[in-house]
């Protein structure tokens, strides 16, 4: 519990920051918490389970209670225990923010929002009229829409989209303008899993006289596989909706900044409170519970995804498997360089990491090009049993989706073509079910896809002659579902 640690004045000016758990506000606990606080040497999962989850100082409850109160008693005017009004701060949100600041290596303070998009909104509101943003071209669809339609059309913030994977250094440098305030990186990108070299972009930003901040949307890898702040980024953004909560039952977002950015965090904290897109206490509690298992889940996601990617590579029905953890991925070495220290330590235990390229677990997202374009990809998706056809990602359950027809249908066709979002492209969010079951599911769906093509083709011919066109769709439907 963080009672007594923070003061949350509505003007957002006088806050203690949510430090990363190494200092604490538990003096009131007879010295109990002071001697049992997390240590700097504690590993990823130790922090995930303990930071922000200290036993309740009043009751001793091992799991923090959910504090639903919207307002907090004051003993005299302006004198309170650190909380006034729940939009400005509440115990569950504070506990989660403290946890996130400690899980994101190099983090000093974290702020949570009602969604990843609300976090995006707060960061872009901070840029202000007349500011310019340089963004990776293959950015998350909702971020693209926010940059174009909200920041661009309503807030006077212009964005240039650049292929930060392929562009030469000079090209990126010269795309930075006098008024560039922010470089927006996402890596790997969605859905084509382009890998951006974070330290390379940071060094370009630092060299440029405009000194833009560098933000990394770390949603796809989570703090387990990637530590952008350690690589020099100024802000990390997450959709907690995905891996960090991990159970597909909370929509939430966060930003995390390193300890030296005190003005930046105060500005963002002001916007968090003033714009008001805050998460509920209940959702904060759920997300904290989810985050406790982030380490074990990310290892399982990575192992399952790598095993499945290797099998998919051998399949005749598959044109291309995109998974940066495969030795054959063109950015395999860049991806490995960017892996967090704790994930490298785990991977090195079982993998020879001395070669130039090698297979290693790298998150749970795989994109696959199915031979035969949309019709084949659509049939494949319908044949899956364990992978549910649905948008989103990062939950314990496996999901599959068709970017061109679902998550990225809002992009103009020309833009989709440029980015390689073709009709045959399928995105898999590999869950943590038993890996062999997932492989069997995908292989069977690939095989059945072809069977259904030929047998529905046969049915088509038979039905067409005997019953006519009207019952055709019924016949085909029965065949493929
Ligand atoms: C989902 C997602 C977002 C947006 O987050 P929401 O919680 O859905 O608002 C931003 N970036 C990436 C990479 C995402 O996957």
């Amino acid at each position: 519990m963080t009672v007594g640690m923070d003061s949350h004045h509505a003007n957002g000016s006088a806050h203690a920051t949510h430090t990363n758990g190494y200092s604490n506000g538990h003096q009131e606990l007879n010295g109990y918490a002071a001697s049992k606080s997390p240590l700097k040497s504690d590993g990823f999962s130790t922090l995930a389970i303990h930071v922000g989850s200290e036993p309740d100082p009043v009751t001793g409850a091992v799991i923090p209670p959910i504090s639903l109160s919207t307002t907090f008693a004051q003993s005299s005017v302006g004198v309170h225990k650190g909380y006034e009004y729940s939009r400005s701060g509440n115990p569950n949100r504070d506990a989660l923010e403290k946890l996130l600041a400690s899980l994101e290596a190099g983090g000093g303070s974290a702020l949570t929002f009602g969604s990843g998009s609300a976090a995006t909104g707060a960061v872009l509101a901070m840029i202000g009229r007349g500011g310019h943003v340089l963004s990776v071209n293959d950015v998350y669809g909702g971020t693209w829409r926010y940059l174009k339609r909200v920041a661009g059309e309503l807030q006077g913030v212009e964005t240039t989209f650049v292929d930060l994977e392929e562009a030469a250094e000079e090209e990126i440098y010269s795309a930075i303008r006098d008024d560039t305030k922010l470089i927006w990186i996402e890596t790997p990108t969605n859905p084509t899993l382009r890998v951006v070299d974070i330290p390379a972009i940071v060094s370009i930003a630092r060299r440029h006289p405009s000194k833009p901040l560098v933000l990394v949307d770390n949603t796809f890898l989570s703090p387990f596989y990637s530590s952008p702040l350690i690589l020099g980024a100024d802000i990390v953004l997450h959709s907690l909706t995905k891996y960090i909560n991990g159970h597909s039952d909370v929509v939430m977002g966060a930003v995390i900044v390193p300890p030296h950015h005190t003005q930046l965090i105060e500005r963002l904290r002001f916007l968090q409170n003033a714009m008001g897109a805050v998460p509920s206490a209940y959702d904060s509690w759920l997300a904290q519970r989810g985050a406790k298992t982030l380490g074990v889940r990310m290892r399982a996601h990575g192992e399952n995804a790598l095993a499945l990617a290797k099998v998919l590579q051998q399949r005749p029905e598959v044109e291309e498997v995109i998974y940066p953890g495969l030795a054959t991925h063109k950015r395999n070495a860049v991806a490995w360089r960017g892996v967090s220290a704790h994930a490298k330590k785990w991977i090195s235990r079982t993998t020879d990491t001395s070669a130039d390229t090698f297979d290693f677990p790298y998150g749970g997202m795989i994109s696959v090009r199915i031979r035969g374009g949309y019709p084949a990809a659509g049939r494949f998706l319908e044949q899956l049993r364990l992978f549910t056809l649905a948008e989103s990602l990062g939950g314990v359950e496996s999901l599959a989706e068709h970017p061109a027809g679902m998550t990225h249908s809002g992009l103009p066709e020309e833009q989709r073509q440029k980015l390689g979002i073709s009709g045959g492209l399928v995105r898999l969010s590999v869950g943590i079910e038993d890996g062999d079951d997932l492989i069997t599911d995908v292989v069977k769906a690939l095989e059945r896809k072809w069977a259904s093509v030929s047998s529905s083709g046969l049915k088509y011919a038979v039905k067409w002659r005997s019953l006519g066109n009207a019952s055709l769709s019924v016949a085909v439907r029965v065949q493929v579902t």
Side-chain angles (χ1 to χ4, degrees), residues 115-118 120 140 143 186 190 217 219-220 237 239-242 251-253 393:
S115 66
S117 305
T120 299
Y140 173 72
T143 306
E186 205 177 297
N190 175 17
D217 180 337
T219 300
F220 265 39
L237 181 140
S239 169
L240 306 187
T241 316
K242 317 296 166 53
V251 173
M252 203 189 290
L393 59 115

Side-chain angles (χ1 to χ4, degrees), residues 104-441:
E104 189 62 70
S109 307
L111 296 169
T112 51
F113 296 84
S115 66
S117 305
T120 299
V123 171
L124 294 175
M126 183 181 70
I127 302 296
R129 190 160 291 281
H132 172 253
V133 178
L134 184 68
S135 170
V136 64
N137 60 345
D138 199 11
V139 74
Y140 173 72
T143 306
W144 187 83
R145 181 176 55 202
Y146 206 102
L147 287 164
K148 296 284 268 194
R149 304 284 308 278
V150 183
E153 291 175 18
L154 306 175
Q155 299 174 335
V157 174
E158 221 183 291
T159 302
T160 309
F161 295 92
V162 174
D163 182 346
L164 294 179
E165 183 188 65
E166 288 290 330
E169 221 175 287
E170 313 81 70
E171 197 182 326
I172 299 171
Y173 186 91
S174 56
I176 303 176
R177 312 192 317 206
D178 293 345
D179 56 353
T180 303
K181 306 281 189 226
L182 183 70
I183 300 183
W184 191 287
I185 298 176
E186 205 177 297
T187 182
T189 63
N190 175 17
T192 56
L193 306 179
R194 292 168 155 85
V195 176
V196 178
D197 189 348
I198 297 170
I201 305 293
V202 167
S203 99
I204 296 170
R206 296 289 181 265
R207 269 203 333 266
H208 199 281
S210 297
K211 298 266 180 291
L213 294 172
V214 175
L215 176 148
V216 176
D217 180 337
N218 198 22
T219 300
F220 265 39
L221 291 175
S222 90
F224 180 76
Y225 283 103
S226 173
S227 307
L229 298 178
I230 299 288
L231 302 177
D234 301 286
I235 307 175
V236 159
L237 181 140
H238 284 288
S239 169
L240 306 187
T241 316
K242 317 296 166 53
Y243 287 106
I244 293 182
N245 178 61
H247 294 73
S248 307
D249 49 14
V250 168
V251 173
M252 203 189 290
V255 293
I256 300 145
V257 305
H260 66 269
H261 271 312
T262 49
Q263 280 183 313
L264 183 60
I265 195 72
E266 284 319 314
R267 189 77 193 132
L268 287 166
R269 193 189 302 283
F270 167 79
L271 291 168
Q272 177 198 38
N273 182 52
M275 293 169 79
V278 292
S280 72
Y282 182 62
D283 280 353
S284 300
W285 185 90
L286 273 177
Q288 180 164 18
R289 178 164 91 159
K292 288 187 186 198
T293 54
L294 183 62
V296 276
R297 281 189 286 110
M298 290 315 293
R299 291 198 285 265
H301 282 294
E303 284 170 345
N304 279 353
L306 177 60
L308 179 58
K310 286 189 197 167
V311 169
L312 283 166
Q313 268 188 315
Q314 309 301 323
R315 297 297 309 187
E317 304 90 343
V318 170
E319 199 174 292
E320 186 189 2
V321 183
I322 312 174
Y323 185 71
L326 286 174
T328 49
H329 189 281
K330 65 174 177 175
R331 302 278 280 181
N332 178 263
V334 180
W336 174 250
R337 277 208 306 276
V339 169
S340 68
H342 41 267
K344 273 188 174 148
K345 191 169 142 194
W346 166 63
I347 293 165
S348 302
R349 270 190 234 146
T350 50
T351 307
D352 176 7
T353 61
S354 60
D356 290 342
T357 61
F358 48 89
D359 293 337
F360 64 93
Y362 189 68
M365 301 303 295
I366 303 178
S367 288
V368 212
R369 281 185 215 287
I370 308 283
R371 279 187 211 287
Y374 174 66
R379 279 190 299 271
F380 166 71
L381 287 166
E382 287 176 19
Q383 295 296 330
L384 289 163
R385 178 176 70 94
L386 293 173
F387 282 81
T388 301
L389 177 57
E391 297 192 1
S392 197
L393 59 115
V396 291
E397 64 288 316
S398 294
L399 302 177
E401 70 112 4
H402 187 256
M406 294 167 69
T407 48
H408 292 66
S409 59
L411 286 186
E413 167 64 21
E414 186 202 321
Q415 176 94 355
R416 279 205 300 268
Q417 287 215 336
K418 231 196 274 172
L419 294 173
I421 305 173
S422 57
L425 190 72
V426 167
R427 189 188 76 182
L428 302 174
S429 172
V430 182
I432 63 169
E433 299 94 336
D434 287 297
D436 290 346
D437 294 340
L438 297 180
I439 290 172
T440 304
D441 190 33

Side-chain angles (χ1 to χ4, degrees), residues 22-44:
Y22 305 131
S23 68
N24 65 74
H26 309 284
Q27 297 85 343
E28 72 274 21
L29 244 185
N30 309 328
Y32 170 87
S35 65
K36 306 217 174 183
S37 294
L39 303 174
K40 272 202 190 293
S41 57
D42 283 337
F44 188 87

